[in-house]
């Protein structure tokens, strides 16, 4: 077997194993609070959060889940919070793309953990930016009290959700809420600040204070349904708009309400008939290396994602550590900014390391981003970046200035941006290649992604050197063995914090996806963004 074939085989095996591990973890997450809790939900005549979404979306619709790994590995001392106790994502309801948010009552009775609040805010952000209707399927016991200090008072905490309710409605974006279980305390504002509210008889209830708190506060004894059940809130208070006999009738009514909505003018991104990629999507497994330090042919990765024959590469022989190209993905016109992981030689004959951003590549990317904004072409960033080039020559050449221009262009870009973290995403390279802080409409990672200030080995070396020097200054020098143990422990902890799962748990990325789904993710994202508007971009401000 030739070396290239052997490497491809190793890559394929390792990448498929990585995807398999991801899918097994997702299967556990999909169980929410576990089979016993699911059975209890069914015994009360209730569908689970995922069953409600499956019932609600059109038969031929996908459901692109966002934040499935939210809370992964977190809150262990509280029993965990699979998917953050809420399921959310994009799907078609009555032929209209909607953002759907469903509390998972099998996870701590649907209580809100800090990550739950962050996840809901992300859903609202996506809906607001892309003019997508919101559907809330409410079934929650309210804020998880042991962690209330991490979710209640700050700007991006629980209260921001209701503020967003008001802003979203003011923008003319419809919000429909269904009270399908408990809805208490501050959480009661969410459905009632939506434009229309449904409530399921027998299971649904909504009130600012439940029976126990009412008894404690004013001494009144009252049962849950009399206080805020479906009949009370529909026939007496008029708080809710529709009373439903069960989950199915409730979801059918939502379908009917959505089906009668009008449509808005689209953004107008260019699309033609799609052409299949030159290489099959499955070839991503063999063409992307299993080791993050190995170079590879980035053009082969593109050939499995973009429509065959659609690539027009910008400044091909200049700034070669970044690939900039116009292309099409499922027919949609896109501008691609991608780190080139090959070691290349510049026009001066100097070797440049793949995956590193040099002054010339930053300059090229900046100008390309401006062009895409001028032409109203959505941007796709494919990240595998170890950072900007360092050292005397780079500093004398003005790498900071050129890097700042690229960051400026990304920051001020008004066309939709989509980011896929394939491999490394280190330091300022993460920023320049449109990391989470730079408002991509959506950002996803492959299982191979690593997001951090720097790689684990480099970080461990730096931290170890600092600690060893500090101990020497205190006359507590370490021997070689102790120094290695210190290095290994730091590297192990740092490596764990750079994984795609660590990032997804904290919503630094919206999802971890199978590499073969990259093409459909980007197409879905542009389809979503086409519902919104694009602000005019003042190219002249930055054309320097």
């Amino acid at each position: 077997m030739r070396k290239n074939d052997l490497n491809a085989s190793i890559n394929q095996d390792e990448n498929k194993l990585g995807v398999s591990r991801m899918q097994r973890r997702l299967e556990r997450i999909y169980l929410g609070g576990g089979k016993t809790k699911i059975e209890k939900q069914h015994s009360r005549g209730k569908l689970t959060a995922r069953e409600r979404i499956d019932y609600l979306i059109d038969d031929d619709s996908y459901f692109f889940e966002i934040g499935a790994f939210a809370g992964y590995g977190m809150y262990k001392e509280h029993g965990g919070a699979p998917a953050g106790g809420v399921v959310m994502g994009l799907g078609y309801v009555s032929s209209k793309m909607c953002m759907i948010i469903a509390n998972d009552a099998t996870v701590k009775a649907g209580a809100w953990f800090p990550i739950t609040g962050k996840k809901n805010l992300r859903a609202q952000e996506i809906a607001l930016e892309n003019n997508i209707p919101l559907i809330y399927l409410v079934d929650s016991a309210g804020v998880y009290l042991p962690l209330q200090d991490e979710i209640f008072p700050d700007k991006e905490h629980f209260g921001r959700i209701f503020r967003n309710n008001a802003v979203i409605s003011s923008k003319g974006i419809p919000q429909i809420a269904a009270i399908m279980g408990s809805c208490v305390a501050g959480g009661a504002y969410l459905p009632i600040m939506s434009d229309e509210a449904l409530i399921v008889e027998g299971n649904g209830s909504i009130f600012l204070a439940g029976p126990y708190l009412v008894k404690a506060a004013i001494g009144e004894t009252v049962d849950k349904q009399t206080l805020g059940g479906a009949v009370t809130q529909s026939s007496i208070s008029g708080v809710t708009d529709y009373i439903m006999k069960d989950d199915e009738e409730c979801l059918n009514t939502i379908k009917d309400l959505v089906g009668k909505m009008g449509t808005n003018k689209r953004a107008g991104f260019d699309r033609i008939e799609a052409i299949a990629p030159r290489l099959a999507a499955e070839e991503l497994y063999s063409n992307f290396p299993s080791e993050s330090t190995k170079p590879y042919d980035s053009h082969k990765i593109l050939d499995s994602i973009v429509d065959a024959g659609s690539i027009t590469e910008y400044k091909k022989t200049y700034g070669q550590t970044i690939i900039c190209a116009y292309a099409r993905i499922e027919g949609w016109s896109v501008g691609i900014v991608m780190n080139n992981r090959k070691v290349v030689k510049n026009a001066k004959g100097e070797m440049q390391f793949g995956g590193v951003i040099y002054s010339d590549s930053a300059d090229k990317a900046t100008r390309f981003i401006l062009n895409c904004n001028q032409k109203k072409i959505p941007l796709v960033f494919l990240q595998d970046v170890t950072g900007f080039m360092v050292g005397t020559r780079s500093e004398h050449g003005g790498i900071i200035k050129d890097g700042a221009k690229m960051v400026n262009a990304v920051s001020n870009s008004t066309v939709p941006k989509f980011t896929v973290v394939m491999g490394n995403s280190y330091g300022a390279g993460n920023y320049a290649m449109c990391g989470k802080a730079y408002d991509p409409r959506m950002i996803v990672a492959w299982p191979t992604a690593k997001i951090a200030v720097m790689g684990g080995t480099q970080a461990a070396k730096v931290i170890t050197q600092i600690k060893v020097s500090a101990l020497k200054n205190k006359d507590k020098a370490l021997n070689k063995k102790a120094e290695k143990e210190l290095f290994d422990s730091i590297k192990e902890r740092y490596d764990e914090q750079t994984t795609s799962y660590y990032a997804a748990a904290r919503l630094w990325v919206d999802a971890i996806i199978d590499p073969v789904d990259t093409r459909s993710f980007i197409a879905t994202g542009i389809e979503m963004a086409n519902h919104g508007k694009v602000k005019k971009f003042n190219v002249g401000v930055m054309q320097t």
Side-chain angles (χ1 to χ4, degrees):
M1 182 180 287
R2 292 181 301 176
K3 185 178 179 181
N4 286 347
D5 293 337
L6 179 60
N7 287 337
S9 181
I10 292 170
N11 291 343
Q12 185 177 62
D13 290 345
E14 289 296 320
N15 284 318
K16 284 187 173 181
L17 280 171
V19 170
S20 180
R21 280 192 295 270
M22 177 190 76
Q23 290 171 339
R24 287 197 302 272
R25 291 172 181 178
L26 282 172
E27 286 169 7
R28 291 196 294 272
I29 288 169
Y30 292 160
L31 289 174
K35 292 181 179 179
T36 301
K37 295 286 180 66
I38 292 172
E39 289 169 4
K40 185 178 179 181
Q41 188 100 331
H42 289 162
S43 71
R44 296 177 59 191
K46 296 169 68 176
L47 300 173
T48 65
R50 294 183 184 280
E51 288 168 345
R52 287 167 176 167
I53 291 171
D54 286 343
Y55 188 97
L56 183 63
I57 61 176
D58 297 344
D59 291 340
D60 59 349
S61 173
Y62 55 79
F63 178 65
F64 180 76
E65 185 167 352
I66 297 167
F69 281 101
Y72 183 78
M74 300 167 66
Y75 311 120
K76 290 178 182 178
E77 66 275 27
H78 299 278
V86 62
V87 183
M88 75 182 209
L90 295 165
Y92 275 88
V93 178
S94 298
S95 300
K96 293 180 176 66
M97 181 180 277
C98 296
M99 173 62 74
I100 305 168
I101 306 168
N103 298 113
D104 187 349
T106 70
V107 180
K108 294 287 191 298
W112 290 64
F113 283 74
I115 198 67
T116 318
K118 187 174 183 180
K119 189 170 173 179
N120 276 259
L121 288 171
R122 178 61 177 146
Q124 290 180 321
E125 178 185 34
I126 291 170
L128 183 59
E129 195 168 27
N130 298 287
N131 204 23
I132 302 291
L134 275 150
I135 298 171
Y136 305 96
L137 306 179
V138 184
D139 196 345
S140 170
V143 167
Y144 184 65
L145 292 178
L147 297 172
Q148 65 85 27
D149 62 320
E150 297 179 38
I151 188 174
F152 175 68
D154 208 350
K155 181 180 177 181
E156 298 297 329
H157 281 180
F158 194 54
R160 187 77 172 183
I161 294 165
F162 317 131
R163 174 265 184 194
N164 286 352
N165 282 140
V167 171
I168 290 167
S169 288
S170 76
K171 301 293 185 184
I173 300 170
Q175 297 177 91
I176 297 173
I179 303 157
M180 309 182 80
S182 296
C183 184
V184 301
Y189 286 107
L190 186 149
I192 307 311
M193 291 193 72
S194 298
D195 303 303
E196 293 182 282
L198 305 86
I199 188 168
V200 176
E201 196 169 3
N203 285 321
S205 60
I206 178 170
F207 31 63
L208 290 180
Y212 294 119
L213 185 52
V214 168
K215 178 70 173 176
I218 63 173
E220 180 184 354
T221 301
V222 63
D223 66 82
K224 196 173 180 180
Q225 288 300 315
T226 302
L227 180 64
V231 174
T232 295
Q233 300 293 23
S234 293
S235 303
I236 299 173
S237 71
V239 165
T240 56
D241 305 305
Y242 307 92
I243 183 169
M244 304 282 108
K245 66 180 180 181
D246 55 26
D247 278 14
E248 287 82 0
E249 184 183 37
C250 182
L251 296 168
N252 285 333
T253 303
I254 293 173
K255 292 181 186 183
D256 180 64
L257 293 171
V258 174
K260 290 181 170 65
M261 290 179 186
T263 57
N264 294 313
K265 185 180 178 181
R266 296 294 185 253
F269 302 123
D270 186 67
R271 191 180 197 183
I272 62 174
E273 188 174 344
I275 299 172
R278 189 176 73 82
L279 298 180
E282 288 73 17
E283 293 203 34
L284 288 168
Y285 295 140
S286 55
N287 287 328
F288 191 81
S290 55
E291 292 182 29
S292 63
T293 56
K294 285 188 175 181
Y296 57 90
D297 188 343
S298 299
H299 288 89
K300 284 188 176 180
I301 303 301
L302 275 183
D303 283 342
S304 288
I305 295 173
V306 306
D307 293 14
S310 69
I311 294 177
T312 303
E313 196 165 340
Y314 176 78
K315 290 184 182 289
K316 186 175 183 178
T317 58
Y318 175 72
Q320 294 181 69
T321 63
I322 282 184
I323 297 168
C324 296
Y326 300 108
R328 290 191 182 273
I329 294 177
E330 289 197 7
W332 290 105
S333 172
V334 297
I336 294 171
V337 182
M338 181 185 192
N339 301 111
N340 187 4
R341 285 305 307 268
K342 271 189 172 181
V343 177
V344 297
K345 194 179 285 188
N346 66 17
K348 297 177 183 178
E350 300 164 335
M351 300 306 295
Q352 294 184 332
F353 298 104
V356 178
I357 302 175
Y358 290 77
S359 286
D360 54 356
S361 47
D363 173 66
K364 176 171 81 170
T366 298
R367 294 175 182 277
F368 181 72
I369 291 165
L370 299 180
N371 288 347
C372 288
N373 273 271
Q374 188 181 46
K375 298 173 182 178
K376 205 165 80 170
I377 299 174
L379 283 159
V380 175
F381 293 83
L382 301 176
Q383 282 196 17
D384 193 354
V385 58
T386 52
F388 283 86
M389 191 58 192
V390 297
T392 306
R393 177 175 292 184
S394 291
E395 297 295 354
H396 290 183
I399 185 67
I400 295 175
K401 178 186 67 178
D402 291 318
K405 285 183 179 179
M406 184 176 174
V407 170
N408 197 339
V410 174
S411 302
N412 286 293
S413 176
T414 57
V415 293
K417 299 170 292 197
F418 302 91
T419 303
V420 181
V421 186
M422 305 183 302
N424 304 311
S425 181
Y426 293 151
N430 170 280
Y431 301 160
M433 292 294 293
C434 198
K436 183 63 183 289
Y438 290 81
D439 296 327
R441 294 290 176 101
M442 284 204 286
I443 176 172
V444 297
W446 289 359
T448 45
K450 297 179 187 297
I451 303 172
V453 173
M454 62 182 74
T457 301
Q458 294 92 330
K461 283 180 180 177
V462 172
I463 298 169
T464 301
Q465 286 170 8
I466 292 169
K467 290 192 174 186
V468 167
S469 296
L471 289 169
K472 279 182 180 178
N473 291 336
K474 296 177 182 178
D475 295 323
K476 296 179 180 178
L478 298 178
N479 59 37
K480 291 295 182 185
K481 182 180 178 183
E483 193 173 317
K484 185 179 184 304
E485 288 173 354
L486 176 63
F487 170 84
D488 289 342
S489 66
I490 293 170
K491 184 178 182 300
E492 182 180 357
R493 185 177 74 251
Y494 203 90
D495 282 344
E496 181 188 349
Q497 293 175 353
T498 66
T499 67
S500 56
Y501 297 101
Y502 194 90
R506 289 152 183 82
L507 290 174
W508 300 344
V509 295
D510 293 314
I512 304 174
I513 65 168
D514 186 333
V516 301
D517 294 329
T518 303
R519 177 175 162 88
S520 61
F521 155 71
I522 295 167
T524 297
I526 300 174
E527 185 181 341
M528 170 194 74
N530 200 40
H531 287 74
K533 298 176 182 178
V534 178
K535 295 179 183 176
K536 187 176 180 181
F537 183 80
N538 188 354
V539 178
V541 171
M542 292 194 53
Q543 198 73 284
T544 58

